[in-house]
Amino acid sequence: SAHERSTASSATVGRDAMSMQDEAGRRLAEIQQELGGKELTQENMQELEMRKQQQREMVEDLLARICTPEALDRLKRVAIVKPEITAKVEQSLINAAQSGQLQSRVDENQVKEMLEKMSAAKAERKVTIQRKSYFSDDDDDDNDDDLL
């Protein structure tokens, strides 16, 4: 049945996500271990960039498995303007796939909802500054003659 296929495919996506994430984590640990005793040379920098690129490709491959093409397009467009929010949404999608929470592929509307939630959460964290009043609020005139 269709439900069994979607459940089986979500389980496969979850296992793939876990194995890819585990592999990325191992690679990162290897990089950190290799560079632990070495100076950061241009050659090391190139190797790090290459590994970051490989890790990014793995994330994109995983997202291609769990998202519809329209959802991927939206993520890419939003990433141009708000990369930090897109990264949070991508990580959330990967975590959901790893834990088996995804029953089917994520569509564009679901991605829009996630982006809106992440944007709203970020907007709530704005800092407002309130100035303290050191003089009486009744003393609104700017005439300083009374201070002499």
Side-chain angles (χ1 to χ4, degrees):
S1 76
H3 181 332
E4 290 171 345
R5 281 193 303 261
S6 73
T7 304
S9 69
S10 68
T12 302
V13 168
R15 282 193 300 274
D16 290 346
M18 284 185 221
S19 64
M20 291 179 78
Q21 191 72 12
D22 290 344
E23 185 178 336
R26 282 194 300 271
R27 285 184 180 175
L28 184 59
E30 289 172 7
I31 292 170
Q32 291 171 340
Q33 186 177 16
E34 288 174 15
L35 293 180
K38 298 180 185 176
E39 290 184 28
L40 196 58
T41 64
Q42 183 158 355
E43 186 176 302
N44 290 343
M45 293 281 287
Q46 289 174 344
E47 185 176 340
L48 282 174
E49 286 299 317
M50 186 177 77
R51 289 186 182 193
K52 283 181 187 178
Q53 180 64 29
Q54 287 175 342
Q55 189 173 12
R56 183 67 200 159
E57 288 172 1
M58 286 175 33
V59 168
E60 288 176 5
D61 182 47
L62 181 57
L63 289 172
R65 293 183 198 180
I66 61 178
C67 295
T68 63
E70 296 81 16
L72 281 176
D73 287 344
R74 179 163 299 267
L75 278 173
K76 288 177 183 176
R77 286 191 310 267
V78 173
I80 294 169
V81 181
K82 298 181 179 181
E84 64 282 346
I85 292 176
T86 305
K88 288 181 183 180
V89 170
E90 288 174 349
Q91 189 60 49
S92 178
L93 287 169
I94 290 170
N95 291 341
Q98 287 176 336
S99 64
Q101 294 174 352
L102 297 180
Q103 301 302 320
S104 61
R105 293 181 82 181
V106 177
D107 65 9
E108 184 178 12
N109 289 331
Q110 291 170 307
V111 168
K112 282 170 47 175
E113 288 175 17
M114 292 179 78
L115 288 166
E116 288 171 0
K117 285 180 186 176
M118 294 289 183
S119 293
K122 186 174 181 178
E124 289 176 4
R125 288 185 264 148
K126 290 189 177 179
V127 176
T128 57
I129 298 174
Q130 294 179 337
R131 294 181 58 179
K132 290 186 177 182
S133 171
Y134 291 104
F135 296 102
S136 166
D137 289 340
D138 297 336
D139 189 21
D140 288 338
D141 66 276
D142 288 337
N143 186 356
D144 291 335
D145 290 341
D146 57 344
L147 296 176
L148 297 175

